[in-house]
Amino acid sequence: MNSALVSCGIELPKAFLGAKVVSNGGSHPNNTCSDTTKLFNSTRNYPRISCSDDRGSRLRLAAIAADKETKVGQLDQELRSESGHDAVNGSVNGAVNGATNGATNGAIKRRETIIEEPESISPYDSSVPLRPRSILNYMNEVKYFLTDDGGPPRWFSPIVPPPPADAPTLFFLPGMDGTGLGLIMHYESLGRLFNMQCLHIPVRDRTPFAGLLKIAEEAVLAEHKHRPKSPIYLLGDSLGGTLALALAARNPKLDLVLIVANPATSFDRSQLQPHFPLLQVTPSELYGVVPYLLSFIMGDPIKMAEAQVKQDASPVDRALQMRESLLSLLPTLPTLADVVPKDSLVWKLELLHSAALYANSRLHAVRAQVLVLASGNDQMLPSADEAERLRKILPNCRTRYFKESGHTLLLEGGLNLASVIKGAGIYRRGRNIDYVTDFVIPTQAEFDDAYNKYAKLIWQATSPVFFSTKDTGKVEQNLSNVPNDRPVLFVGNHMYMGLDLSLIIYQMFKERGIMIRGLAHPMLFETKMEEDLQEGTMPDLFREFGAVPVSGNSMFKLLKKGYSTLLYPGGAREALHRKGETHKIFWPKRSEFVRMAARFGVTIVPVSTVGEDDLLDIILDLDDLRRIPTFEERFVYPITNIRGDLNEDVGDQSLHLPFAAPKLTPGRLYIKFGKPIVTAGEELIPIPG
């Protein structure tokens, strides 16, 4: 059985491929498609499955980087003793145990906990691993889409492991090539989030912009009628971006989410406008050169070839892989002459012109949520300027900027579109986003990418050592004593700027297969302070990896859903502590997390981290900023204090730009997980009076 031809357990006969392709206009026996794609006309019958039934019983060990980047010897044990780890661990354990003891001064009643099925372990149990893709996949598949059958534009759905039943639908509107294969590098990752349908415009098709808009609108309205409470995603590439904006303008009451990559609304300001008329007079015998030129104008071949290069490889291996990838790419470029033959290219330039005029005249009517993906090295359109313009015009528009990418952003390496969507906080299954239930466990590739971008440097600079505690109280240098067969509430002290946060989440997932959800400051979920050309930031990473705005309600929902959760009771006051406050605990006197953990039978594990004083020097703290004229206005963020109800030190949760410098002497972080405190089966009830 060919796994590429299997969807929902049903094997598609090979006779289906190239013989029975159903389009909007009926059956076309001459149509052909590849063995990874199925074409059909329904906007309703999507293959769907739920997550695997045996989730929670399987561990998905990430193996993101080398097993050990630092060997720990006897010297480390001495340093650990000297650093005061035991004192801090005692403070954290004492705070947790004290809170637990205080809460248990009431009556204790045995009961059945109401916790739902645990979701700490990855629920994505696909038997087919995510395959790395590149522009070569596009070149190999596109020949199946070039048959001139005379049929109209039609929809097809990539064959990938189906998403959950409540996944929203994503309609992909293609760029100038019209094949609909522009998402080929993202099929598997987007297939975990959406029911995907891609619009295919045959190479000889001459449907005008109004006709294409009608086809897209009919599909969207049919989907809305079928699932009125689910959002509909429109992903438009270049020309498709104008289609998406025009459709949104015509349907302002629909719940639409638009993702537009280098939209062609800026076509009339293209850098190539003076050269377009030359295409009409180019001799046919010379036209074969045009696709080579377009390949360098529309995209960066280096970025395209980079998709096949392993990011964790050595520099020498990366260079060799890049060479092989480029050599395999160049022979496929003549295929572009078949994708955009001369008469089609001239027609599509006229189509882009009419599309830009139509969409720009109706931008004032767009009310949908819009995310603009802009390339900084686009040689065909002024995409960066256009992203800034759209952000100012559209009422609910944000941007993500890719400085080194070209026009064909979706076909270049280094972009994980699913990560961008989740990181921007626009993935939802209902009318409003729910950060608890709309979360999708990251894939191993996403963990790899996040580690290399954000955690690897911190890991190398801090050389963290992890300890865990057995039920007997014995401490061991590993995480084997942290329970992974049930949800856990990790409660710890914050290092300065949360240096230990990414290390804990990464190592816990790698070594124990536990996906920890963090409770984060609500400011990380605000978008008002984003720039006109916003590149990916740490808040994007937090959202992608399941952080939720800290509140009692969020914690209640996380624990009820069975997620392992990380809580820092000291919050921003502890993460941005003042000079001389290293390892000082800032926790509220009333520790409400214990009763909630007991309510759901969640095991509590104290976490203590030391070593910051060997790594950083705080240059200016909040007190200094408040004393220096104009500094408080410039570097302290004007936000609502989320703990302003507390008349104690922890109530001052002001956020400010950190001013710290690394020390020249080597240091190390020591992270200790204390003895698990089991609360399963108990409910705490206070004694009246």
Side-chain angles (χ1 to χ4, degrees):
M1 180 180 292
N2 186 343
S3 61
L5 307 182
V6 178
S7 179
C8 285
I10 301 174
E11 184 177 7
L12 303 177
K14 288 197 174 184
F16 174 87
L17 300 170
K20 296 182 180 179
V21 178
V22 181
S23 72
N24 294 350
S27 177
H28 297 278
N30 294 328
N31 251 0
T32 58
C33 66
S34 72
D35 66 346
T36 58
T37 314
K38 178 178 71 173
L39 278 75
F40 64 96
N41 68 335
S42 171
T43 58
R44 302 181 185 181
N45 299 323
Y46 310 114
R48 298 176 179 135
I49 58 172
S50 297
C51 297
S52 171
D53 292 332
D54 63 345
R55 66 180 179 183
S57 63
R58 296 177 57 188
L59 295 181
R60 180 166 67 99
L61 300 180
I64 297 172
D67 250 356
K68 294 285 183 181
E69 295 196 17
T70 307
K71 293 185 178 180
V72 183
Q74 182 64 32
L75 177 61
D76 293 324
Q77 299 293 338
E78 297 172 3
L79 286 173
R80 181 178 70 85
S81 179
E82 293 174 4
S83 66
H85 188 289
D86 292 337
V88 175
N89 183 63
S91 300
V92 175
N93 274 294
V96 173
N97 290 322
T100 306
N101 293 333
T104 54
N105 283 333
I108 299 179
K109 181 179 70 174
R110 285 285 176 188
R111 64 168 186 83
E112 294 294 328
T113 58
I114 62 172
I115 197 167
E116 296 181 5
E117 181 183 6
E119 299 185 15
S120 301
I121 309 301
S122 169
Y124 188 60
D125 296 328
S126 172
S127 59
V128 181
L130 300 186
R131 297 169 293 171
R133 292 179 179 268
S134 71
I135 186 65
L136 289 176
N137 295 97
Y138 175 91
M139 293 299 188
N140 293 332
E141 301 291 337
V142 75
K143 58 180 178 287
Y144 296 105
F145 286 74
L146 301 181
T147 301
D148 187 9
D149 60 11
R154 68 210 68 171
W155 299 96
F156 71 88
S157 177
I159 297 180
V160 293
D166 61 347
T169 297
L170 180 144
F171 292 96
F172 175 61
L173 307 172
M176 213 168 80
D177 69 313
T179 62
L181 289 174
L183 284 185
I184 195 167
M185 293 174 59
H186 309 278
Y187 280 168
E188 283 85 359
S189 58
L190 289 179
R192 301 180 62 219
L193 310 181
F194 302 104
N195 294 297
M196 290 186 293
Q197 288 207 59
C198 305
L199 181 63
H200 169 61
I201 306 172
V203 66
R204 303 290 178 182
D205 182 79
R206 296 296 181 266
T207 303
F209 182 77
L212 295 175
L213 182 57
K214 181 180 179 182
I215 291 171
E217 190 172 52
E218 287 176 349
V220 168
L221 292 176
E223 176 64 17
H224 174 68
K225 183 178 180 181
H226 178 57
R227 302 171 67 194
K229 295 183 179 180
S230 178
I232 298 174
Y233 284 73
L234 302 179
L235 174 53
D237 180 21
S238 189
L239 168 65
T242 62
L243 267 173
L245 289 166
L247 198 157
R250 288 168 56 89
N251 299 274
K253 294 185 179 181
L254 292 185
D255 184 12
L256 300 177
V257 181
L258 273 58
I259 305 161
V260 291
N262 298 324
T265 44
S266 62
F267 178 73
D268 289 342
R269 290 178 280 120
S270 170
Q271 304 92 304
L272 302 180
Q273 278 292 341
H275 306 291
F276 289 147
L278 298 177
L279 292 173
Q280 301 184 26
V281 297
T282 301
S284 299
E285 54 271 18
L286 295 180
Y287 183 76
V289 180
V290 173
Y292 288 93
L293 298 176
L294 283 177
S295 68
F296 285 90
I297 292 172
M298 297 182 66
D300 183 352
I302 301 296
K303 293 287 290 183
M304 291 180 177
E306 193 180 57
Q308 286 189 309
V309 178
K310 295 182 179 179
Q311 299 301 311
D312 57 350
S314 66
V316 174
D317 289 339
R318 284 174 56 85
L320 291 174
Q321 292 175 27
M322 178 66 75
R323 173 181 174 275
E324 293 299 321
S325 183
L326 282 171
L327 289 176
S328 59
L329 172 62
L330 292 176
T332 66
L333 293 181
T335 306
L336 293 177
D338 299 322
V339 176
V340 281
K342 180 180 176 180
D343 57 338
S344 295
L345 181 57
V346 173
W347 160 257
K348 287 180 178 178
L349 291 176
E350 296 175 357
L351 184 64
L352 284 170
H353 176 68
S354 61
L357 290 177
Y358 188 100
N360 281 317
S361 66
R362 291 163 174 78
L363 289 179
H364 63 278
V366 176
R367 295 293 179 267
Q369 188 177 7
V370 181
L371 179 68
V372 181
L373 310 181
S375 296
N377 196 28
D378 191 339
Q379 302 298 319
M380 185 174 179
L381 298 173
S383 294
D385 293 341
E386 183 65 4
E388 293 184 276
R389 185 180 79 95
L390 291 176
R391 189 174 188 272
K392 294 174 182 176
I393 293 175
L394 303 178
N396 193 11
C397 179
R398 296 158 60 204
T399 66
R400 286 299 178 269
Y401 183 53
F402 304 89
K403 187 176 181 180
E404 304 299 328
S405 295
H407 183 70
T408 52
L409 173 64
L410 301 180
L411 289 174
E412 295 183 1
L415 172 69
N416 187 320
L417 188 54
S419 295
V420 173
I421 292 171
K422 292 187 292 182
I426 62 171
Y427 180 71
R428 52 188 172 88
R429 299 184 179 98
R431 185 71 186 181
N432 299 304
I433 189 170
D434 186 323
Y435 287 106
V436 175
T437 59
D438 287 332
F439 172 66
V440 178
I441 300 287
T443 64
Q444 180 175 328
E446 289 172 320
F447 260 95
D448 290 345
D449 186 59
Y451 173 78
N452 289 324
K453 285 184 178 178
Y454 300 101
K456 188 173 184 178
L457 183 60
I458 298 177
W459 189 286
Q460 292 172 340
T462 61
S463 303
V465 185
F466 293 86
F467 302 90
S468 63
T469 308
K470 298 173 71 71
D471 291 337
T472 60
K474 181 181 178 181
V475 177
E476 297 180 342
Q477 188 187 307
N478 55 53
L479 297 180
S480 62
N481 301 301
V482 177
N484 62 358
D485 57 346
R486 56 189 181 274
V488 176
L489 175 61
F490 298 95
V491 183
N493 65 306
H494 244 322
M495 288 289 92
Y496 191 71
M497 298 186 296
L499 280 177
D500 55 331
L501 180 60
S502 60
L503 305 178
I504 290 174
I505 292 177
Y506 155 69
Q507 189 67 12
M508 191 60 67
F509 185 85
K510 175 184 175 182
E511 192 170 333
R512 300 295 290 158
I514 300 175
M515 180 68 235
I516 300 178
R517 305 285 303 273
L519 292 158
H521 198 286
M523 180 189 170
L524 296 174
F525 301 86
E526 292 288 337
T527 61
K528 298 177 182 178
M529 300 176 64
E530 289 186 354
E531 300 176 352
D532 288 342
L533 291 176
Q534 180 67 54
E535 299 186 54
T537 59
M538 286 298 290
D540 283 26
L541 182 71
F542 291 157
R543 288 188 288 257
E544 179 187 355
F545 280 79
V548 299
V550 61
S551 69
N553 183 54
S554 294
M555 185 173 171
F556 181 93
K557 292 173 68 176
L558 282 173
L559 296 181
K560 184 178 181 180
K561 286 291 183 181
Y563 284 109
S564 288
T565 305
L566 177 60
L567 172 67
Y568 291 107
R573 176 64 182 89
E574 207 167 73
L576 292 171
H577 55 253
R578 290 24 160 199
K579 297 175 182 176
E581 294 179 346
T582 302
H583 301 147
K584 186 176 180 181
I585 304 297
F586 293 92
W587 287 15
K589 295 178 180 177
R590 180 184 176 186
S591 301
E592 60 274 8
F593 65 84
V594 179
R595 192 174 305 279
M596 196 176 295
R599 169 68 173 166
F600 297 108
V602 175
T603 298
I604 302 174
V605 174
V607 185
S608 57
T609 306
V610 298
E612 169 207 315
D613 52 336
D614 295 327
L615 297 167
L616 292 174
D617 276 325
I618 300 176
I619 300 174
L620 294 176
D621 61 17
L622 182 61
D623 294 335
D624 295 327
L625 296 178
R626 286 171 172 168
R627 283 194 296 266
I628 302 174
T630 75
F631 269 44
E632 182 172 7
E633 293 79 8
R634 294 171 60 186
F635 301 115
V636 179
Y637 299 112
I639 60 172
T640 302
N641 191 344
I642 60 174
R643 304 303 296 269
D645 58 319
L646 297 178
N647 296 321
E648 41 188 305
D649 207 0
V650 71
D652 187 2
Q653 294 278 332
S654 301
L655 289 183
H656 63 85
L657 191 68
F659 289 86
K663 290 185 176 181
L664 298 179
T665 56
R668 190 189 293 278
L669 284 182
Y670 298 89
I671 303 171
K672 180 180 177 182
F673 292 81
K675 180 180 177 180
I677 303 171
V678 180
T679 68
E682 297 182 351
E683 182 177 10
L684 307 179
I685 304 175
I687 297 176

